[in-house]
Amino acid sequence: ALTPPLDLTINKNPEDWATLLDGKRIGKNTVRLHNYGKISKIHGYEEGAWWVQDAAAALPAQLILNSVNGGFVCDLCAAPGGKTAQLAAAGYQVTAVDISSERMNLLLQNMSRLKLVVEVVKENALAWKPDKLYRAVLVDAPCSATGTARRHPEILYQKNSKDLRRKNGLQKSLINQAAKFVEPGGVIVYSVCSLERSEGYEQIVSFLNSNRNFDLLPVQKSEVKDFEACVTIEGFVQTTPAHLAERGGVDGFFAGRIKKRIME
């Protein structure tokens, strides 16, 4: 089997880094490498010029960057911190929340290498009470991870319907939490690295059906360079491992964006 390529999210000047690393630019800030050795030996690692993140995994945070102009944002399931880094690198004030100490330590190590400052909260997002409302909340929810099968084919054999139902319940709770944390006029981007409709599309639709003070904020094709084919008719993003196949594929990711109404 061919090893999938390595995707790096570049902090600044992706074009220059594509040339420097002999890689190919994908999307907004991703440089894809087909030949690479040890990650810590790649040029730019020490100085924190980039971090490893699949091109499709970079889309959810990009949708936040496209919708709110700076300010306080929250990454609700943040570790190991790829999306947190995208938001912080763009100058947003990020609160990164995660329940796992181990994964949070990884996030802190990553932020330190990338020289990014974020507020870190090690809490269960479902019990946490923030002291402010956020302009945007990113919920990259725990899921079946069926979208990552091109790197982890074993994942397709480890899942069962009971596990999926439990995850669906957690996903629903996380979106409902995010709804409490976002200010009027603010946005929530909900994402999963999954191909299951029950984890992506159905979660947003069911949330909107029961929350009249939120509207879908459809993703425009112009927002997701190189992923135009992944924007659904409703305005969601759904990538699959078949997308960009001729360039090495991407992970399967769902992302939907909703906006809280400003009540008159």
Side-chain angles (χ1 to χ4, degrees), residues 51-112:
W51 56 95
V52 175
Q53 184 179 34
D54 187 78
L59 295 173
Q62 189 54 51
L63 296 180
I64 285 185
L65 301 179
N66 296 349
S67 359
V68 297
N69 197 355
F72 289 98
V73 297
C74 176
D75 186 353
L76 255 201
C77 308
K83 298 171 183 67
T84 298
Q86 279 176 279
L87 297 167
Y92 293 61
Q93 288 165 290
V94 188
T95 302
V97 184
D98 206 280
I99 193 171
S100 153
S101 309
E102 202 180 335
R103 285 166 59 82
M104 232 0 159
N105 288 337
L106 195 55
L107 180 138
L108 288 166
Q109 285 165 22
N110 287 332
M111 295 309 125
S112 154

Side-chain angles (χ1 to χ4, degrees), residues 5-10 13-27 29-36 42-43 50 226 247:
L6 183 73
D7 288 352
L8 308 176
T9 298
I10 309 292
N13 311 326
E15 286 300 343
D16 299 350
W17 281 97
T19 309
L20 263 172
L21 299 174
D22 190 25
K24 291 276 184 287
R25 169 90 179 268
I26 290 183
N29 284 24
T30 299
V31 169
R32 171 162 288 187
L33 307 183
H34 287 276
N35 301 310
Y36 58 93
I42 299 172
H43 181 51
W50 49 259
D226 292 331
R247 296 160 76 175

Side-chain angles (χ1 to χ4, degrees), residues 64 67-68 135-137 182 185-189 217 257-259:
I64 285 185
S67 359
V68 297
R135 295 195 66 184
V137 180
V182 69
V187 301
I188 297 172
V189 170
L217 186 56
R257 181 174 56 191
I258 53 180
K259 184 170 182 153

Side-chain angles (χ1 to χ4, degrees), residues 11-235:
N11 194 340
K12 292 185 182 70
N13 311 326
E15 286 300 343
D16 299 350
W17 281 97
T19 309
L20 263 172
L21 299 174
D22 190 25
K24 291 276 184 287
R25 169 90 179 268
I26 290 183
K28 195 159 171 26
N29 284 24
T30 299
V31 169
R32 171 162 288 187
L33 307 183
H34 287 276
N35 301 310
Y36 58 93
K38 193 165 184 240
I39 287 171
S40 58
K41 296 279 185 275
I42 299 172
H43 181 51
Y45 178 85
E46 288 295 331
E47 59 266 45
W50 49 259
W51 56 95
V52 175
Q53 184 179 34
D54 187 78
L59 295 173
Q62 189 54 51
L63 296 180
I64 285 185
L65 301 179
N66 296 349
S67 359
V68 297
N69 197 355
F72 289 98
V73 297
C74 176
D75 186 353
L76 255 201
C77 308
K83 298 171 183 67
T84 298
Q86 279 176 279
L87 297 167
Y92 293 61
Q93 288 165 290
V94 188
T95 302
V97 184
D98 206 280
I99 193 171
S100 153
S101 309
E102 202 180 335
R103 285 166 59 82
M104 232 0 159
N105 288 337
L106 195 55
L107 180 138
L108 288 166
Q109 285 165 22
N110 287 332
M111 295 309 125
S112 154
R113 177 178 72 84
L114 298 169
K115 301 172 187 60
L116 295 172
V117 178
V118 302
E119 180 191 11
V120 169
V121 176
K122 197 196 95 46
E123 283 252 19
N124 177 347
L126 299 180
W128 179 56
K129 303 249 187 308
D131 56 5
K132 58 177 163 291
L133 293 176
Y134 293 93
R135 295 195 66 184
V137 180
L138 176 62
V139 183
D140 184 33
C143 68
S144 64
T146 48
T148 63
R150 77 192 232 281
R151 294 176 201 276
H152 306 285
E154 71 284 355
I155 208 113
L156 299 175
Y157 304 99
Q158 295 167 349
K159 303 297 167 187
N160 59 43
S161 56
K162 198 169 138 196
D163 182 48
L164 193 60
R165 278 196 301 278
R166 204 185 69 240
K167 293 266 186 359
N168 289 162
L170 177 58
Q171 290 150 1
K172 182 177 180 173
S173 303
L174 284 166
I175 303 181
N176 284 317
Q177 272 305 77
K180 298 176 199 162
F181 299 164
V182 69
E183 65 184 35
V187 301
I188 297 172
V189 170
Y190 169 80
S191 64
V192 280
C193 54
S194 169
L195 304 170
E196 308 296 321
R197 265 177 87 84
S198 70
E199 296 193 287
Y201 173 85
E202 287 172 19
Q203 289 289 354
I204 296 276
V205 169
S206 112
F207 175 85
L208 289 173
N209 285 339
S210 50
N211 290 272
R212 293 282 171 239
N213 57 340
F214 279 84
D215 297 298
L216 187 65
L217 186 56
V219 177
Q220 308 301 321
K221 292 189 173 186
S222 58
E223 293 186 70
V224 287
K225 181 174 149 40
D226 292 331
F227 291 92
E228 294 87 353
C230 307
V231 177
T232 69
I233 194 156
E234 303 88 356

